[in-house]
Amino acid sequence: MKKIIDDVIKKIPDYKEFLTVEEMDASSKKLAEEYPEIVEIFEMGRTRDDHPLYCLKIGNGSNNGLMFGCPHPNEPIGAMMLEYFTRELAENKELREKLDYTWYIVKSWDADGTRLNENWFKGPFTLYNYARNFFRPAGHQQVDWTFPIDYKELHFHDTIPETKAMMNLIDDIRPKFIYSLHNAGFGGVYWYITRETPEIYDDMRNAANKQGIPLNLGEPEAPYCVAYSPAIYQDLGIQQNYDYLEKYGIENPGEVIKAGTCSSDYAEEVCGAFTLLTELPYFYDKRINDLSPSDITRKEAALKSLEFSEEADEFIKTTLNRTKKHMDKKNPFKLALEAFTDNSESNEATREMVNTNPDFAKMATVAEKFDNLLVAKFYKMLSYGLLVRAHESELKKMKENNEVNPEKEKDLEEAFNTALNRLKELSEKLEKEIDYEVVPIKKLISIQLECGLLMADYLNRD
């Protein structure tokens, strides 16, 4: 199997851009036309904007495998991996037979949100261009975080159409293996898995090493992540978030959490499915895996990060409060910002955890300091991009509708310019302070596909 995997990875094209939803849909239809005996395409549902959600069925193995791209619409690396993998599966009989799966593949699950990111898909790939054209929906509108859940005092059943479509697919095919194709924006490579699989940890890490991309050895994505091994974490459901808030003093986390649980949590309960996530960066700086000691404690670094985040959220909320009256209630950028800045209680839980957890009293590694003081600012820059777009979209709508309202136009333009200046200032600062490289798409696909094939093969043998 190793030789087959190596051969498949070697053939990955040197992609220079990401495909749009329309381009992916057209490519999927073409593949089904070219290989009618092997590839079937069907509509598994429709999005909230009534766009068809296409699923490809490839092969006829003894186990069902499910892969989906763009569970977050700003994460198209997995969609490009699936663009390559679907054609390779169709053309490579040996690969299909050795893997022994019937594959169900959705290239762009959040198709509506993906379209709102397409302005950066063709480059240039810079921190500014990514942030300026970034979109990610509020938690209660995310396709992979609106699965129903009843846990303690959390009761979420406001499931959106895209999520219902995936629930129905999981119920129907009961997959053994799910590859949830998320990716990070900045940092290094890390993984989430349903349960421990220590036999292939080194092979997974080696997939990143072979491409020269560092592991993410800074702070975990969430303070309640459980590390199985360096850069390899236990998969997350919403329950861990709930328990964390409860542990650090939030009286009713069910009122704080506005989302549901995720596909991996749902599928494990429905059919015992194993889910893998391989998180990859568009940009990286070699400091992300530097474990040498820095000059400040981890506590100091974490509290500085929290302070910056709270100041940024206050700026966003103040700007929005002046112009919300002029905005469509369904403005997706506004809704996302309202969710992403509603952090007061979770921030207090984090502050309590940092102040009481002895792990934060030690000196921070260079990776931890870099993560807290610079990578965290990169992620906050994305909210500045959303703030710009919230106002830009309303101004565009006024123009399209020939709406004449001088007060509204003035307020929106002032807020747009204020947000754009803040975005540019932070972007210029980070361009100076972060020595980043843009990771070639081919390398990202190589890591993600190799890890997926390793895990699929392992689960069949286990």
Side-chain angles (χ1 to χ4, degrees):
M1 191 67 198
K2 184 179 183 303
K3 183 180 184 308
I4 295 172
I5 292 175
D6 288 345
D7 290 344
V8 168
I9 300 303
K10 279 176 194 164
K11 290 191 284 181
I12 295 171
D14 188 17
Y15 297 108
K16 298 300 184 187
E17 58 184 35
F18 297 100
L19 295 186
T20 65
V21 172
E22 295 300 330
E23 289 168 336
M24 285 188 272
D25 287 350
S27 173
S28 294
K29 291 173 186 174
K30 184 170 183 285
L31 189 69
E33 287 169 8
E34 286 181 52
Y35 298 94
E37 303 299 313
I38 299 162
V39 181
E40 176 189 337
I41 187 169
F42 62 93
E43 194 178 300
M44 62 182 267
R46 295 186 86 84
T47 70
R48 283 155 289 170
D49 287 347
D50 203 34
H51 186 86
L53 282 175
Y54 292 114
C55 180
L56 290 167
K57 180 184 177 185
I58 304 178
N60 190 29
S62 58
N63 295 300
N64 287 337
L66 170 62
M67 294 187 175
F68 48 77
C70 298
H72 284 133
N74 59 300
E75 301 178 357
I77 292 169
M80 294 306 295
M81 187 277 274
L82 294 176
E83 181 65 25
Y84 169 71
F85 182 55
T86 49
R87 179 159 289 277
E88 184 62 20
L89 268 179
E91 296 176 350
N92 190 333
K93 183 181 179 185
E94 185 184 24
L95 177 64
R96 292 196 308 273
E97 290 180 349
K98 286 287 186 184
L99 286 171
D100 193 27
Y101 282 85
T102 302
W103 292 101
Y104 293 82
I105 293 173
V106 182
K107 289 182 186 173
S108 182
W109 183 11
D110 185 355
D112 296 347
T114 301
R115 288 162 131 179
L116 291 177
N117 278 278
E118 289 176 351
N119 280 348
W120 66 264
F121 279 13
K122 308 302 181 184
F125 299 114
T126 63
L127 302 186
Y128 175 77
N129 195 47
Y130 177 61
R132 177 64 180 82
N133 296 290
F134 168 89
F135 173 69
R136 184 185 184 108
H140 68 279
Q141 294 188 321
Q142 290 183 11
V143 298
D144 207 13
W145 284 104
T146 56
F147 284 79
I149 182 80
D150 290 292
Y151 180 70
K152 297 183 180 177
E153 297 305 313
L154 173 62
H155 305 286
F156 184 94
H157 293 274
D158 193 12
T159 304
I160 60 177
E162 296 90 334
T163 308
K164 286 178 182 170
M166 189 62 75
M167 287 169 64
N168 291 338
L169 183 62
I170 290 169
D171 291 346
D172 287 345
I173 69 172
R174 302 180 70 81
K176 179 186 185 106
F177 171 51
I178 295 178
Y179 205 0
S180 177
L181 296 164
H182 289 262
N183 66 259
F186 198 106
V189 184
Y190 59 106
W191 296 265
Y192 289 109
I193 54 178
T194 299
R195 60 180 182 274
E196 294 192 75
T197 58
E199 297 87 348
I200 61 166
Y201 290 166
D202 287 341
D203 290 336
M204 289 164 61
R205 285 188 284 249
N206 193 42
N209 293 337
K210 280 189 287 188
Q211 302 301 328
I213 309 303
L215 302 180
N216 194 94
L217 300 177
E219 295 289 355
E221 190 173 348
Y224 42 84
C225 288
V226 175
Y228 286 146
S229 186
I232 298 174
Y233 297 93
Q234 181 184 34
D235 204 357
L236 296 175
I238 204 69
Q239 300 92 327
Q240 289 95 327
N241 188 6
Y242 188 109
D243 291 344
Y244 166 77
L245 294 174
E246 190 175 52
K247 179 179 178 180
Y248 289 102
I250 303 305
E251 277 189 30
N252 189 354
E255 291 179 0
V256 175
I257 297 170
K258 303 293 195 296
T261 196
C262 59
S263 55
S264 58
D265 192 22
Y266 178 81
E268 187 180 14
E269 186 158 326
V270 166
C271 57
F274 183 103
T275 295
L276 168 68
L277 281 75
T278 301
E279 297 274 11
L280 300 153
Y282 302 117
F283 313 102
Y284 80 90
D285 179 306
K286 59 183 179 295
R287 284 173 285 184
I288 202 62
N289 68 343
D290 187 341
L291 297 181
S292 61
S294 71
D295 55 352
I296 62 173
T297 66
R298 191 179 173 200
K299 175 180 172 180
E300 289 173 296
L303 291 177
K304 280 186 179 181
S305 176
L306 191 58
E307 182 183 354
F308 175 84
S309 178
E310 288 173 333
E311 286 174 0
D313 285 350
E314 195 54 43
F315 164 77
I316 291 166
K317 286 189 279 192
T318 301
T319 307
L320 262 187
N321 283 339
R322 289 199 300 267
T323 53
K324 264 198 295 197
K325 63 186 177 185
H326 300 310
M327 290 189 180
D328 187 322
K329 285 187 171 63
K330 292 184 178 178
N331 182 314
F333 308 105
K334 174 185 82 79
L335 290 172
L337 286 168
E338 286 172 344
F340 298 157
T341 56
D342 183 19
N343 293 322
S344 57
E345 294 194 74
S346 59
N347 284 346
E348 284 311 306
T350 297
R351 187 171 275 107
E352 175 68 14
M353 185 272 293
V354 169
N355 281 319
T356 58
N357 187 332
D359 288 345
F360 282 80
K362 67 179 180 67
M363 296 305 288
T365 63
V366 170
E368 288 165 344
K369 178 183 176 183
F370 175 68
D371 217 338
N372 276 300
L373 301 191
L374 289 173
V375 177
K377 288 178 181 171
F378 161 77
Y379 282 111
K380 191 52 67 175
M381 188 168 79
L382 305 183
S383 289
Y384 291 162
L386 288 172
L387 187 62
V388 172
R389 296 188 73 186
H391 294 91
E392 180 180 48
S393 63
E394 295 296 341
L395 287 165
K396 183 181 175 187
K397 202 184 301 176
M398 284 186 75
K399 190 174 182 181
E400 288 171 349
N401 296 336
N402 295 315
E403 182 183 349
V404 180
N405 185 331
E407 182 198 352
K408 177 179 177 180
E409 188 173 11
K410 177 175 176 287
D411 288 350
L412 289 171
E413 280 187 345
E414 282 181 359
F416 168 80
N417 287 318
T418 300
L420 187 61
N421 288 335
R422 179 65 72 101
L423 172 62
K424 286 179 176 177
E425 283 171 15
L426 184 55
S427 171
E428 287 166 10
K429 176 180 168 64
L430 294 182
E431 286 285 351
K432 289 175 187 168
E433 296 184 11
I434 300 178
D435 182 22
Y436 71 89
E437 292 183 39
V438 180
V439 185
I441 296 171
K442 179 179 179 177
K443 286 178 178 279
L444 297 170
I445 294 172
S446 298
I447 298 166
Q448 200 167 56
L449 181 53
E450 182 168 353
C451 290
L453 295 176
L454 285 166
M455 187 60 79
D457 180 56
Y458 170 84
L459 292 173
N460 261 354
R461 291 184 286 105
D462 183 36

